[in-house]
Amino acid sequence: MWDALAAGVDRLTLAGWLQIISSIGAVAAAIAGASAARAARGAARTAARQLPELQKQVEISAAQSKAADEQVTLAQEVLKAATAAVREAARARTDERAPLVVALFEAPQWPPLIDATRDRMPYGNEPRLLDQRSAGRAETASPAHLFARDGARAQLMWFQTRGVLINEGTTTARVRLDEGAQFVGATAAKRERLLRPGEVAPFEWGAGHTIAEWAVAREKPDPPNPLGACFLTITVFDSFEHGVFDHIHVVMSGRPIVPVDDTFDEVRLASREAEAEMEVTVFPTRRTYRSDGVRRDPLPWDGTYAAWWRANGRRTPSPMAPSN
């Protein structure tokens, strides 16, 4: 047999040898492919066994991350609550030594006054309504005087009211009045003074609108019309570095001008004070702590007249915080 095999080998040509070698390579490749396939199936089985464990590890990591986020949120809430508690405690200590000023007002003086030389409220360096020079030019308004629509409605009709400031606190307050108001009997500083504990300071306030504006307030009351209202802010503050400043906001409002007939072509002053519906409203005091810095809160009357101001583009400026 070996002799026959050797004789067959001797008879092989180059092409035969190449065919044999190619066949041997194909068999080797097939064996290698089978081995690789078996290895891949083994790796797949191993991965399939490891996948639940990997998923479990991912879930554990996600839970730990969530718990860490919750701890951070809780720590932030605790810090916020602690900060608020410290702030409230500081405010309580500040309130104990802060002045407490209240304002009381009389009803607006009736009848009002008319200044034919003015067509608006004074501003800048012009004499205020309560100035002696202004008071000398004003005349008492009368229901007998009629004002035509195209007539002398540009004249200023204004009201004077009196009030008192009382310091019910335990420390001295520094009080500042808006322009248009002044302390009674004051000579030099008519708009600012010190108010000691228990002290009472009388003051007066004069404000108004033109007759035309008062007429519009009566003719067009909806939405609420600020042409029938006058505004005053009283600022109270102390001398402590970490003290307070308070704002007492006041509105004098009404509809003192009435029509002679339904057309409003002619108007006049109301015959009776009750018909004019004049009143003074004092809003609760707004306190700001110096440690909080300057605030720009809406004024208490902003909501009442917001619709009218949006439609007409006019509003009353906000008061500024005082400075020492």
Side-chain angles (χ1 to χ4, degrees):
M1 180 180 68
W2 290 107
D3 292 339
L5 180 60
V9 169
D10 290 338
R11 290 193 298 271
L12 286 174
T13 64
L14 178 60
W17 281 109
L18 292 175
Q19 184 177 3
I20 291 173
I21 293 172
S22 176
S23 299
I24 293 173
V27 171
I31 294 173
S35 299
R38 285 194 300 271
R41 288 193 295 271
R45 287 192 295 269
T46 301
R49 290 192 300 269
Q50 293 176 346
L51 182 60
E53 184 65 26
L54 292 175
Q55 291 177 339
K56 184 176 180 181
Q57 292 178 359
V58 170
E59 293 173 355
I60 292 174
S61 177
Q64 291 175 342
S65 177
K66 182 179 180 181
D69 291 341
E70 292 176 349
Q71 290 177 351
V72 170
T73 301
L74 179 60
Q76 290 175 340
E77 293 176 352
V78 170
L79 177 61
K80 183 178 180 180
T83 302
V86 171
R87 183 183 297 112
E88 288 303 318
R91 288 178 175 178
R93 290 192 297 270
T94 301
D95 289 338
E96 290 178 356
R97 64 182 185 184
L100 178 60
V101 176
V102 298
L104 304 176
F105 278 84
E106 299 176 352
Q109 178 181 333
W110 186 265
L113 300 172
I114 292 181
D115 189 340
T117 66
R118 296 183 186 271
D119 58 2
R120 55 172 170 73
M121 286 287 291
Y123 62 86
N125 294 324
E126 297 177 352
R128 296 304 183 255
L129 297 180
L130 297 176
D131 188 277
Q132 292 183 354
R133 292 168 291 177
S134 299
R137 295 195 300 260
E139 298 180 354
T140 302
S142 170
H145 191 169
L146 304 184
F147 300 92
R149 187 179 292 274
D150 298 327
R153 293 192 185 183
Q155 301 175 14
L156 183 70
M157 186 175 75
W158 59 281
F159 290 84
Q160 180 179 357
T161 183
R162 288 176 175 264
V164 294
L165 295 175
I166 308 171
N167 186 0
E168 297 182 349
T170 58
T171 55
T172 298
R174 185 177 168 191
V175 183
R176 181 181 298 162
L177 303 174
D178 266 358
E179 293 187 359
Q182 65 183 28
F183 290 104
V184 175
T187 55
K190 294 186 176 182
R191 294 180 43 233
E192 188 168 330
R193 63 166 294 173
L194 296 178
L195 198 62
R196 295 174 177 79
E199 191 175 1
V200 177
F203 67 97
E204 53 190 353
W205 172 35
H209 294 283
T210 64
I211 294 170
E213 290 170 334
W214 286 117
V216 171
R218 168 72 71 170
E219 185 179 7
K220 300 177 180 179
D222 295 317
N225 195 329
L227 295 180
C230 304
F231 308 100
L232 172 71
T233 296
I234 303 169
T235 305
V236 181
F237 46 106
D238 55 28
S239 58
F240 298 109
E241 180 180 0
H242 299 288
V244 302
F245 50 87
D246 297 336
H247 287 123
I248 303 173
H249 298 295
V250 185
V251 175
M252 177 171 57
S253 60
R255 296 188 296 170
I257 291 296
V258 298
V260 175
D261 53 38
D262 294 336
T263 65
F264 278 85
D265 288 337
E266 287 187 321
V267 296
R268 61 173 176 81
L269 179 67
S271 300
R272 294 175 293 106
E273 185 175 356
E275 186 182 12
E277 304 173 0
M278 294 299 300
E279 62 180 4
V280 176
T281 301
V282 181
F283 292 91
T285 300
R286 290 188 173 186
R287 170 158 291 181
T288 302
Y289 297 87
R290 294 184 186 275
S291 57
D292 293 343
V294 177
R295 294 167 52 182
R296 292 286 185 178
D297 294 334
L299 294 169
W301 49 73
D302 279 356
T304 302
Y305 301 112
W308 192 95
W309 274 318
R310 282 195 300 268
N312 295 273
R314 294 170 56 187
R315 61 172 295 110
T316 300
S318 301
M320 295 295 296
S323 59
N324 287 336

